[in-house]
Amino acid sequence: MEPPTSSRLNSRKRRKDGSGPNGAAELDGIPPKMSRRSFGLREPAPFSDEVEIDYSKPYVRVTYEEAMRGTPLDRPVRVYADGIFDLFHSGHARALMQAKNLFPNTYLIVGVCSDELTHNFKGFTVMNENERYDAVQHCRYVDEVVRNAPWTLTPEFLAEHRIDFVAHDDIPYSSAGSDDVYKHIKEAGMFAPTQRTEGISTSDIITRIVRDYDVYARRNLQRGYTAKELNVSFINEKKYHLQERVDKVKKRVKDVEEKSKEFVQKVEEKSIDLIQKWEEKSREFIGNFLEMFGPEGALKHMLKEGKGRMLQAISPKQSPSSSPTHDRSPSPSFRWPFSTKTPPSSPANRSRNESAVTYDISEDEED
């Protein structure tokens, strides 16, 4: 029985809109949390020519139903995935992760094509074959790496590596004079489709670099690479250096503008604060001044009180009218020299003076 094709899947490609990092769609959901422990392997995956295969046991391919039910630990389902894997990125890793998780017990073999095949059938690569082999070796989902993998899979190759299923996205891959290099694999019921990750590919990465070529050329020149290493002409090298200097000047001007804006903002804040404090202090000063020197101020009350005390101090004390009068004994009167008249007295003491004069006259008569 053939494995399910892409028509039975929800979607062949991941959604671009509303997708998360590395093309993860919202339909993926939030993965459950796992306990803190090490999941990575400590060594890279071995090459196929370094792995011993027991050819004494006959090679019997596992059917799709048997693979889905689960196989014994000593007989995992051998899944093969091939590719160029230039500039190894998250899209490659996700495809290999899907191939690894096709069945409960999967042994993933990854074939990497050589530079010669790739340059002849697809085009020039950024990384050489050894770099691409090493990148795939260090992917956690890979169990074995086949170097110099064939462009078209033959029955002999499938039998040599005892492959049960071939994993790849189900887009027809036209190359080497064929409309689909995986057509015979699909007809044999050995094809297991995976989904591509939208928004990330080797071609997309190269497009970004080509689009911003000047930026990356200037970046590497600044980091110490020579114009010869970057294949940059003498004129372009000088142009890039000039642009770098202009950018530095622009950056300095921008920094000065930002600092000046910050300084002006701080001055404005401080001036507003000072004005507010000055207004508060001025109100307080005016209030205190009016309280002291105003029409009803404390100074006026102080002056009134002082004036009253002064008048009270200089004026004679008068006995109250209701108090009883005390009779005083008559005292001899004082005579002014060379005068028979007595000194003037106050009206209140006239009666006393009259009695005194009478007394004096009687004494003269007796004399």
Side-chain angles (χ1 to χ4, degrees):
M1 182 178 178
E2 293 186 4
T5 58
S6 61
S7 59
R8 301 174 189 176
L9 299 174
N10 293 331
S11 174
R12 178 182 60 79
K13 295 184 178 181
R14 297 181 179 273
R15 295 184 178 180
K16 263 189 174 183
D17 298 334
S19 60
N22 298 328
E26 293 179 353
L27 298 177
D28 294 345
I30 301 175
K33 293 185 178 180
M34 295 174 286
S35 60
R36 183 185 290 274
R37 59 191 180 90
S38 177
F39 290 93
L41 301 177
R42 297 182 180 274
E43 295 180 359
F47 293 113
S48 58
D49 52 5
E50 300 173 350
V51 178
E52 295 182 1
I53 299 178
D54 187 6
Y55 291 100
S56 61
K57 296 180 181 180
Y59 165 60
V60 179
R61 198 177 71 84
V62 178
T63 63
Y64 182 77
E65 291 81 2
E66 294 173 344
M68 290 301 296
R69 284 196 302 265
T71 58
L73 293 177
D74 59 347
R75 177 55 177 95
V77 180
R78 296 173 68 85
V79 177
Y80 178 81
D82 59 357
I84 309 303
F85 302 106
D86 190 22
L87 298 176
F88 192 88
H89 51 74
S90 61
H92 295 142
R94 293 181 71 91
L96 297 178
M97 179 186 68
Q98 294 177 60
K100 180 70 174 178
N101 291 282
L102 283 172
F103 308 106
N105 185 17
T106 303
Y107 184 85
L108 181 59
I109 306 170
V110 180
V112 183
C113 299
S114 64
D115 288 344
E116 183 179 358
L117 281 176
T118 305
H119 297 168
N120 291 335
F121 292 106
K122 191 170 184 178
F124 192 75
T125 59
V126 178
M127 301 169 64
N128 59 44
E129 58 184 25
N130 292 324
E131 293 170 338
R132 293 186 285 113
Y133 297 154
D134 188 64
V136 175
Q137 268 190 299
H138 288 83
C139 179
R140 62 184 298 179
Y141 310 111
V142 179
D143 298 306
E144 184 179 328
V145 177
V146 177
R147 292 179 286 192
N148 193 16
W151 198 260
T152 303
L153 301 178
T154 61
E156 292 77 16
F157 179 84
L158 297 175
E160 178 185 356
H161 294 279
R162 302 191 170 192
I163 296 170
D164 296 313
F165 295 96
V166 177
H168 200 273
D169 63 84
D170 61 345
I171 300 176
Y173 196 87
S174 59
S175 180
S178 175
D179 295 336
D180 189 1
V181 296
Y182 297 102
K183 183 178 180 180
H184 64 290
I185 301 295
K186 295 175 181 177
E187 293 174 351
M190 298 178 62
F191 188 79
T194 58
Q195 296 179 353
R196 292 179 65 88
T197 301
E198 284 295 318
I200 183 68
S201 67
T202 302
S203 299
D204 291 339
I205 296 174
I206 294 175
T207 301
R208 298 178 201 172
I209 297 173
V210 174
R211 181 186 59 199
D212 300 325
Y213 169 77
D214 291 348
V215 175
Y216 293 114
R218 289 166 53 189
R219 170 184 177 272
N220 283 9
L221 284 173
Q222 186 180 3
R223 295 195 174 190
Y225 288 89
T226 63
K228 185 177 181 180
E229 291 174 331
L230 298 174
N231 196 21
V232 174
S233 64
F234 177 79
I235 296 176
N236 286 335
E237 180 186 6
K238 299 303 178 184
K239 182 184 73 173
Y240 293 148
H241 284 306
L242 180 60
Q243 290 176 349
E244 189 68 29
R245 293 176 183 175
V246 171
D247 288 345
K248 288 182 178 179
V249 173
K250 289 181 178 179
K251 186 178 180 182
R252 290 178 182 176
V253 172
K254 188 176 180 180
D255 293 340
V256 171
E257 289 179 353
E258 291 178 355
K259 290 181 179 179
S260 61
K261 288 180 180 178
E262 293 178 359
F263 176 75
V264 171
Q265 186 177 1
K266 290 181 179 179
V267 170
E268 289 179 353
E269 292 176 356
K270 289 185 177 180
S271 61
I272 292 172
D273 188 23
L274 289 174
I275 291 172
Q276 291 177 351
K277 289 183 178 179
W278 183 83
E279 289 178 351
E280 293 176 0
K281 294 294 183 182
S282 62
R283 292 194 191 98
E284 183 180 355
F285 176 77
I286 293 171
N288 294 335
F289 182 85
L290 293 175
E291 185 179 355
M292 177 62 70
F293 301 101
E296 299 297 331
L299 182 62
K300 185 175 181 180
H301 291 290
M302 291 172 60
L303 292 175
K304 286 182 178 180
E305 184 179 357
K307 184 178 179 181
R309 290 179 179 177
M310 187 178 296
L311 292 174
Q312 184 178 2
I314 62 178
S315 63
K317 291 185 179 181
Q318 296 181 1
S319 60
S321 58
S322 59
S323 59
T325 56
H326 299 280
D327 295 334
R328 296 182 180 179
S329 58
S331 58
S333 60
F334 176 77
R335 293 183 180 182
W336 291 94
F338 310 105
S339 174
T340 59
K341 296 182 179 181
T342 58
S345 59
S346 61
N349 298 326
R350 284 181 182 176
S351 57
R352 299 176 184 174
N353 294 333
E354 288 177 356
S355 60
V357 168
T358 305
Y359 177 76
D360 294 338
I361 292 173
S362 61
E363 287 183 351
D364 293 336
E365 289 178 352
E366 290 178 0
D367 294 337

